[in-house]
Amino acid sequence: MVTFLPSRPGRLADVPAFHRSIGGAESNVACALAAAGHTTRWVSRVGADGFGDHLVEAIGAYGVDVSHVRRDPDRPTGVYFRTAGDRADDAHEVAYYRAGSAASAMSPTGVDLDAVRAGRVLHLSGITAALSEDCLTLMRELTAPHPGRPLISFDVNHRPGLWGEAYGPEVLRDLAREADIVFVGEDEAEEAWGLTGGPTAIREALPEPHTLVVKQGAKGAVAFSRPAAGDRAAGAMGVPPLERSREWGRAGADGTPQAPGCATSPRSATAHGTFEPAPHVDVVATTGAGDAFAAGFLSATLRDLPLKTRLRHGHLAAAATLTTPGDLAPPPARPLADRLAALDDPAWGRLRLGPGWTDADAEAVEEARTP
C-alpha cells in the first residue's frame, strides 16, 4: 500500500498534510533484504494508477525485482493514513482504504506461482491472509507441501481489525504450523491465541515450525530451533538436502542448529530456547520494526550465521527502523552490523542506538552510543 505519514502529531482530523511513503509487511522485508545485499523479488498486485506506479518504482529503487507485479485495471492501489503516535497508544489512529483493492484480488491463478517459489526463502504475512478469501486461498496454496517449495518464512502479524469473522486466529495458527520459520510477538500470541505462559508456551503450541522466533519488544527475542535430522524442512518439503544443510548447519549439544565451526554462547543457549536481549534504542516510531527484525534475521539465516547472531542482526535491523519516523529504513551496512553483532555480551548489553546511528562506522557507534 501507499502510506501517508503525518506532517505533525495530532488526530487525523487535525493533521493538515501527509508525506507519501510505501508500506506493506512483505515489501518492507523485501526492500530491507535488498538493501542488505540479497537478491529479492516482490510479487503482488497493484492498481493501474499513479499510486501503483509509485509503489513499483519506489520498491524497485531498493533493488527489488518488481517484474512480476501485476497491474489491475479495475481495482485501485490500497492506501492508508496513520498518526504519529505509537501503535500501542490508545491515541494512535490508522485509516485503511484497501477494501476492494488490487492486492485483495490476489489468488493462486492471479499471481505467477513459479516466480513466487523461485527463491531460497519465501516470506509471507498473516496480513495478506486477512485481505480476502482469494488471498487466504493463495496463502494456503503457498504454505502447502509442494515439490520445489522454498523455506517458508511466516510473520503472524495478527491484526484483529482486518478479520471480519472470529476464525482469524485459527487461520493464522494453521498457516504458522505449515511454515518453516515463524515470527510472532509474545503479546500478539496472547491476544490471538490466549497463550499467557511466555515463549515456552508458544513453542509448545507451535511445535511444527523448524524455527520459531518469539519477539518480546524492548526486552529481546527468543528463538527455538529443532535439530536438523528428519525435520519437515527436508527434501519432502521441497528443500534439497544440500541447500538445507547450508541453511541450518549441524545441531549443537542443546539441539540448536549451528553453522559449521560456530559455537553458541552458554548464556543464551538453553533448553527453553535461545534468548538475546535487544540493545537500548532511542525510539522515534515503532511502525515497521517487526518487518525489519524479520529481514535482519532472514539475512543472517541466508548467510548461515549462528542462531544467536541471527537474533542480533534482527535487533539491529529493527533498531534502524525504530530510530526513523517511517515504516521502512535502510538497514545498517553489513560491516557495521557484523561488528556490532560480534560484540561480547557485556558490550552488547551497554549498546545504545539513537537516530543516525546507521550512518556512523562501528567504532564510532560503540564509542558514542555505549554509556
Side-chain angles (χ1 to χ4, degrees):
M1 298 176 296
V2 171
T3 304
F4 286 95
L5 306 175
S7 58
R8 63 173 177 80
R11 302 182 308 153
L12 285 178
D14 299 328
V15 175
F18 295 81
H19 171 71
R20 184 188 63 182
S21 184
I22 60 176
E26 298 89 345
S27 58
N28 284 346
V29 172
C31 289
L33 282 169
H38 298 280
T39 301
T40 64
R41 170 180 291 161
W42 180 55
V43 180
S44 189
R45 194 176 184 93
V46 299
D49 51 31
F51 286 152
D53 293 341
H54 171 64
L55 284 177
V56 172
E57 292 167 6
I59 293 170
Y62 276 87
V64 178
D65 175 7
V66 293
S67 62
H68 293 274
V69 177
R70 296 191 176 179
R71 309 301 296 269
D72 191 322
D74 301 316
R75 299 176 180 86
T77 302
V79 301
Y80 84 98
F81 297 78
R82 68 175 175 87
T83 54
D86 191 298
R87 180 171 283 164
D89 190 328
D90 289 340
H92 181 78
E93 295 177 79
V94 177
Y96 289 104
Y97 299 94
R98 59 181 170 190
S101 67
S104 69
M106 289 189 296
S107 69
T109 59
V111 300
D112 185 339
L113 294 180
D114 290 336
V116 173
R117 293 173 171 140
R120 289 177 63 190
V121 175
L122 170 59
H123 182 71
L124 304 169
S125 165
I127 294 174
T128 300
L131 296 183
S132 68
E133 286 297 328
D134 282 343
C135 284
L136 178 54
T137 300
L138 173 63
M139 292 286 287
R140 285 175 168 153
E141 168 69 22
L142 293 175
T143 56
H146 186 277
R149 186 184 105 156
L151 288 176
I152 300 297
S153 167
F154 179 69
D155 195 335
V156 172
N157 268 326
H158 180 231
R159 300 288 186 268
L162 295 179
W163 293 95
E165 299 184 33
Y167 67 85
E170 288 72 27
V171 169
L172 294 174
R173 183 179 292 191
D174 290 344
L175 293 171
R177 284 173 169 163
E178 294 298 323
D180 301 302
I181 306 171
V182 172
F183 301 93
V184 64
E186 185 175 26
D187 55 348
E188 67 180 341
E190 179 177 356
E191 182 180 30
W193 304 317
L195 298 173
T196 59
T200 301
I202 298 171
R203 182 51 161 174
E204 289 173 354
L206 287 175
E208 297 89 353
H210 182 287
T211 300
L212 172 68
V213 180
V214 180
K215 297 173 290 182
Q216 298 179 293
K219 178 181 177 182
V222 179
F224 301 86
S225 200
R226 289 205 319 269
D231 66 60
R232 293 189 333 143
M237 299 300 284
V239 181
L242 179 60
E243 178 75 7
R244 192 177 139 276
S245 66
R246 291 207 317 270
E247 197 76 351
W248 301 113
R250 63 179 183 273
D254 69 331
T256 301
Q258 303 176 41
C262 295
T264 304
S265 166
R267 176 183 70 90
S268 59
T270 71
H272 302 290
T274 299
F275 171 75
E276 191 59 31
H280 300 283
V281 178
D282 298 328
V283 176
V284 173
T286 61
T287 307
D291 301 330
F293 181 95
F297 187 92
L298 292 175
S299 175
T301 297
L302 289 165
R303 296 171 59 202
D304 301 320
L305 300 179
L307 194 59
K308 170 180 175 175
T309 309
R310 298 178 195 183
L311 288 169
R312 285 193 173 186
H313 276 275
H315 288 318
L316 291 169
T321 296
L322 287 168
T323 50
T324 58
D327 293 19
L328 178 63
R334 184 172 291 183
L336 171 59
D338 283 347
R339 179 165 175 176
L340 294 179
L343 292 173
D344 60 30
D345 292 339
W348 176 263
R350 293 191 300 269
L351 193 64
R352 189 180 190 98
L353 304 173
W357 74 271
T358 57
D359 296 328
D361 60 38
E363 186 172 358
V365 170
E366 290 178 61
E367 291 178 355
R369 297 298 179 183
T370 303

